[in-house]
Amino acid sequence: MTIQLYNTATRRKEAFEPIDEGNVRMYVCGPTVYDRAHLGNARPVLVFDVLFRLLRHVYGENAVTYVRNFTDVDDKINATALARKEAGAAGTLEELVAERSDETIGWYHADMDALGALRPTHEPRATRFIAQMVAMIEDLIAKGFAYENDGHVLFRVREYAEYGKLSGRSVDDMIAGARVEVAPYKEDPMDFVLWKPSDDALPGWDSPWGRGRPGWHIECSAMAYELLGDTFDIHGGGNDLQFPHHENEIAQSKCAGHGFANVWLHNEMLQVEGKKMSKSLGNFFTVRDLLGQGVPGEVIRFVMLSTHYRKPMDWTEKKRAEAEVTLRKWAVVLNEQFVAHRGYVGRTPVKPPEEIIAALANDLNTSLAITLARQYARDWQPEKLAASLVMLGFEPSHLVGRYCSATAIASEANVPAFPNQISSQVEAFGANSSYAGILQELSIRFTRMRTKALESKDFESVDAMKTALIDAGVEVRMGKGGVTLVPGLDFDPSKLEALI
């Protein structure tokens, strides 16, 4: 299987050719850990989670190294810790910074786990690679690409001739169109910080230029080099990082003599109800906000993957509701397979459908993969559906457990109609709510038997099932919409076991 990926650096879709098929290497810029991850932060996590899964499928689970960093040294983290200290929190500022970083990383893991994202191979913290950053900065100074002034070390942008190639802008255009910090310690307004001084109150590390802390851009270059080597396969992130972050990463890494990344992937941004997400518009929310409101992680994942990663993604209430309906329908299909094989959907299927892999291999076309999954569900192909969902990062048994358990059915009081296949529900649970799951399973099976009987004109099995249900005290209501099973006054749940 040849994977085709759109390379931002070349502006075309290319066949992916790893440097080493036994060690495919990918770096994705991770979060600055000062607060909860907002919904937009989740998009690159899910995009590159699918790519990680695809690479593991094609090259082997142990043949892919995925690095996603945590930026745990940053002015925003310092400001958050300082606010805590001023509010009376015990400990030094450095201790409060470390405490906030640990807390936020824990939140991030919990939220991304809830979305079904795999943990990367490595999740380096910037503060643990300060020595490597200092060494890279020293090398850049020695080669004339960087200079020290008043405790700051800056990169000479104009010394790197290809600066701006990734984003497609010239240096002069970037100065005219961007907010560039003009400071007395800069030789040129475009020069960016590699190292900056820290006073005694702020977190800092000793260096040849005095006590200080690294700039944002050098962090990723140093960690990528340390964990992935001189040249690696893929570098990813949101397209808001193309400039200045990724441009600066490329410039400093190339000037340090590293090959850096061969392929650059960027996902488009997220909107909410057609508008940019912002606190001023009142449409800003975190992943935890949605999870806390009862929106399942699978629903968030479904909405995100329904749009191609290179197109803007619009989160709407309508899409959220439609996603939940679709996932519930899929759970109904998967549930029959679960019942028939006693836990089949809890095991990873051996081989996903070829057309699913082909869709993902075509520049991560997750929207097409979801369309194919819908077709498998319409055709009542639970094995194909389960295998496809696992490849897309959904756990079938979780869907069955969420939407088809007795508790879930009792709370919903119905199962939404499944087009051309099933419209069944379980009513009047009362004291028998613990048997709702069994009744739902039987209603699904009975509906399928009846559909086949209407085509074959052989109703023997349907009549036998109906007789057994009536004997168990279940009222069988049949109509154009499907089958409804209602526990009667003489309902005997023990007689249902023989029908499963």
Side-chain angles (χ1 to χ4, degrees):
M1 175 64 67
T2 299
I3 298 174
Q4 298 278 336
L5 297 173
Y6 184 86
N7 188 351
T8 308
T10 60
R11 290 169 177 72
R12 63 174 181 266
K13 192 158 62 175
E14 302 171 337
F16 175 63
E17 298 180 0
I19 300 166
D20 177 2
E21 292 190 2
N23 184 21
V24 182
R25 287 159 285 169
M26 175 169 69
Y27 187 95
V28 175
C29 292
T32 300
V33 288
Y34 68 95
D35 207 345
R36 289 277 190 182
H38 60 70
L39 190 60
N41 297 144
R43 194 175 194 199
V45 172
L46 296 181
V47 167
F48 291 102
D49 179 65
V50 172
L51 179 56
F52 186 34
R53 292 169 185 273
L54 176 64
L55 294 172
R56 281 158 51 103
H57 175 80
V58 173
Y59 297 104
E61 288 191 5
N62 297 320
V64 183
T65 302
Y66 173 20
V67 177
R68 187 182 65 218
N69 73 293
F70 287 118
T71 295
D72 61 345
V73 51
D74 182 85
D75 290 344
K76 289 182 179 179
I77 303 174
N78 295 342
T80 303
L82 183 61
R84 283 189 171 188
K85 187 172 181 62
E86 291 174 347
T92 65
L93 187 62
E94 286 197 11
E95 290 171 340
L96 291 173
V97 165
E99 180 183 288
R100 181 62 169 179
S101 297
D102 290 345
E103 179 182 45
T104 307
I105 288 171
W107 291 343
Y108 186 84
H109 277 148
D111 291 346
M112 298 309 118
D113 288 351
L115 303 187
L118 298 173
R119 298 280 181 93
T121 316
H122 302 289
E123 294 181 288
R125 296 189 186 200
T127 53
R128 297 176 184 175
F129 290 80
I130 299 296
Q132 291 86 343
M133 297 174 203
V134 169
M136 184 174 284
I137 293 170
E138 287 183 303
D139 182 60
L140 289 170
I141 292 174
K143 292 176 178 176
F145 293 110
Y147 59 94
E148 187 269 338
N149 192 353
D150 193 23
H152 295 77
V153 180
L154 296 109
F155 183 87
R156 290 188 173 100
V157 166
R158 294 185 188 273
E159 289 297 314
Y160 180 59
E162 294 190 342
Y163 192 87
K165 185 177 180 181
L166 182 71
S167 55
R169 293 178 288 182
S170 71
V171 173
D172 291 331
D173 287 342
M174 284 187 271
I175 292 176
R179 284 178 284 182
V180 179
E181 180 189 12
V182 178
Y185 50 78
K186 284 188 174 186
E187 293 178 354
D188 187 288
M190 280 300 294
D191 293 350
F192 60 87
V193 173
L194 299 173
W195 188 266
K196 52 189 171 183
S198 292
D199 60 31
D200 293 339
L202 290 173
W205 292 263
D206 292 332
S207 79
W209 320 287
R211 186 173 181 275
R213 58 197 190 278
W216 174 32
H217 314 298
I218 196 68
E219 297 174 13
C220 287
S221 285
M223 288 185 283
Y225 176 67
E226 184 69 17
L227 295 171
L228 298 177
D230 181 84
T231 306
F232 54 95
D233 298 293
I234 298 170
H235 195 310
N239 66 358
D240 59 324
L241 297 180
Q242 283 188 45
F243 176 80
H245 186 50
H246 290 165
E247 288 283 11
N248 293 351
E249 278 189 80
I250 292 171
Q252 63 201 8
S253 294
K254 292 282 190 178
C255 291
H258 307 318
F260 212 46
N262 286 342
V263 179
W264 286 84
L265 265 66
H266 293 94
N267 62 274
E268 259 287 357
M269 294 296 97
L270 175 137
Q271 298 176 326
V272 175
E273 302 291 350
K275 297 179 180 179
K276 181 179 179 180
M277 187 171 68
S278 70
K279 292 181 180 179
S280 62
L281 293 175
N283 65 352
F284 179 94
F285 45 88
T286 67
V287 173
R288 182 52 50 178
D289 289 336
L290 288 177
L291 295 173
Q293 292 166 14
V295 179
E298 295 94 341
V299 169
I300 299 172
R301 187 180 188 96
F302 183 99
V303 175
M304 291 278 189
L305 298 186
S306 295
T307 300
H308 191 275
Y309 79 94
R310 286 195 290 111
K311 294 182 179 179
M313 210 292 294
D314 192 16
W315 174 274
T316 67
E317 179 59 24
K318 180 180 179 182
K319 287 182 179 179
R320 183 210 62 76
E322 290 174 345
E324 190 150 6
V325 169
T326 298
L327 290 171
R328 189 178 286 112
K329 291 175 182 178
W330 288 358
V332 170
V333 179
L334 295 166
N335 194 35
E336 182 170 336
Q337 190 73 5
F338 183 83
V339 172
H341 294 278
R342 292 296 174 190
Y344 164 81
V345 296
R347 303 194 304 270
T348 303
V350 174
K351 188 177 181 182
E354 290 184 4
E355 55 263 39
I356 289 289
I357 300 302
L360 298 181
N362 184 13
D363 196 31
L364 300 183
N365 196 340
T366 54
S367 56
L368 174 57
I370 286 178
T371 298
L372 291 169
R374 290 180 189 271
Q375 186 63 53
Y376 301 146
R378 278 195 293 270
D379 294 342
W380 211 274
Q381 297 178 295
E383 291 190 11
K384 278 192 171 184
L385 178 61
S388 302
L389 294 183
V390 169
M391 193 66 210
L392 287 167
F394 298 92
E395 176 48 61
S397 61
H398 290 176
L399 294 178
V400 170
R402 182 181 298 280
Y403 297 116
C404 295
S405 66
T407 302
I409 297 166
S411 64
E412 292 289 342
N414 68 85
V415 178
F418 196 83
N420 304 320
Q421 289 287 349
I422 183 171
S423 176
S424 62
Q425 63 181 12
V426 182
E427 299 175 344
F429 299 114
N432 301 310
S433 62
S434 62
Y435 294 95
I438 295 176
L439 286 172
Q440 187 218 2
E441 294 161 6
L442 291 174
S443 68
I444 293 169
R445 187 177 303 179
F446 193 92
T447 298
R448 293 194 67 199
M449 290 171 60
R450 183 167 175 263
T451 300
K452 291 179 180 178
L454 289 170
E455 296 174 352
S456 66
K457 307 303 180 184
D458 181 1
F459 290 90
E460 183 177 352
S461 60
V462 171
D463 292 339
M465 174 69 85
K466 183 177 179 180
T467 298
L469 287 167
I470 293 173
D471 183 56
V474 178
E475 180 182 349
V476 181
R477 301 175 185 175
M478 293 187 289
K480 292 182 179 180
V483 177
T484 301
L485 303 182
V486 182
L489 295 176
D490 57 346
F491 178 52
D492 183 357
S494 64
K495 292 184 178 181
L496 295 180
E497 298 293 339
L499 301 177
I500 298 298

